[in-house]
Amino acid sequence: MNKTQAKKAALKRRARAVRAKVKGTPDRPRLTVHRTNANIYAQVIDDVDSKTICSASTLSPEFRATGKIGSNKEAAEVVGKLVGQRAIEKGVTTVRFDRSGFLYHGRIQALADGARSAGLKF
């Protein structure tokens, strides 16, 4: 196993460990985050019905209108605010945070802080 495969395997292992503890319900859905080198994505998911309630990313038109790029903490905070506002509009106020195996640091933490500032509780 080379270094890249080992990193991917470790990420999957951590994601499984987090997912085993965090389940989304209709009254408290799961806010999941995915990060790449170029972009960041967030979704609010009801695992009971297997439905995505709302989502936001650095590829969405609302984010593109801000003129920011998608690979820094400021962009992650904007995406957090976007997903938080969309969740509030759909009637979701409380979520469970699923970091998907990523460390709670940097862009992941910035996204969580943005969602909290938009009014989500977790």
Side-chain angles (χ1 to χ4, degrees), residues 37-40 58-59 63-64 66-79 107:
N37 286 340
N39 296 297
I40 192 159
T58 53
L59 300 176
F63 177 80
R64 292 286 184 186
T66 64
K68 296 186 184 296
I69 59 169
S71 60
N72 56 25
K73 289 196 284 188
E74 292 82 18
E77 189 170 354
V78 171
V79 170
R107 289 186 281 162

Side-chain angles (χ1 to χ4, degrees), residues 31-108:
L31 171 61
T32 185
V33 178
H34 181 71
R35 175 180 59 83
T36 65
N37 286 340
N39 296 297
I40 192 159
Y41 309 86
Q43 296 182 60
V44 177
I45 301 171
D46 176 8
D47 289 321
V48 174
D49 296 332
S50 299
K51 300 280 185 194
T52 298
I53 298 169
C54 64
S55 65
S57 75
T58 53
L59 300 176
S60 62
E62 292 86 357
F63 177 80
R64 292 286 184 186
T66 64
K68 296 186 184 296
I69 59 169
S71 60
N72 56 25
K73 289 196 284 188
E74 292 82 18
E77 189 170 354
V78 171
V79 170
K81 287 179 184 177
L82 278 174
V83 77
Q85 291 167 355
R86 291 177 184 174
I88 298 285
E89 289 170 5
K90 299 278 184 163
V92 175
T93 57
T94 307
V95 296
R96 297 177 191 271
F97 190 67
D98 176 9
R99 57 188 175 84
S100 301
F102 299 106
L103 298 179
Y104 188 80
H105 182 265
R107 289 186 281 162
I108 303 297

Side-chain angles (χ1 to χ4, degrees), residues 6-16 34 100-102:
K7 282 185 176 185
K8 284 184 182 181
L11 180 66
K12 278 188 174 183
R13 179 184 47 77
R14 288 192 308 267
R16 271 195 315 267
H34 181 71
S100 301
F102 299 106

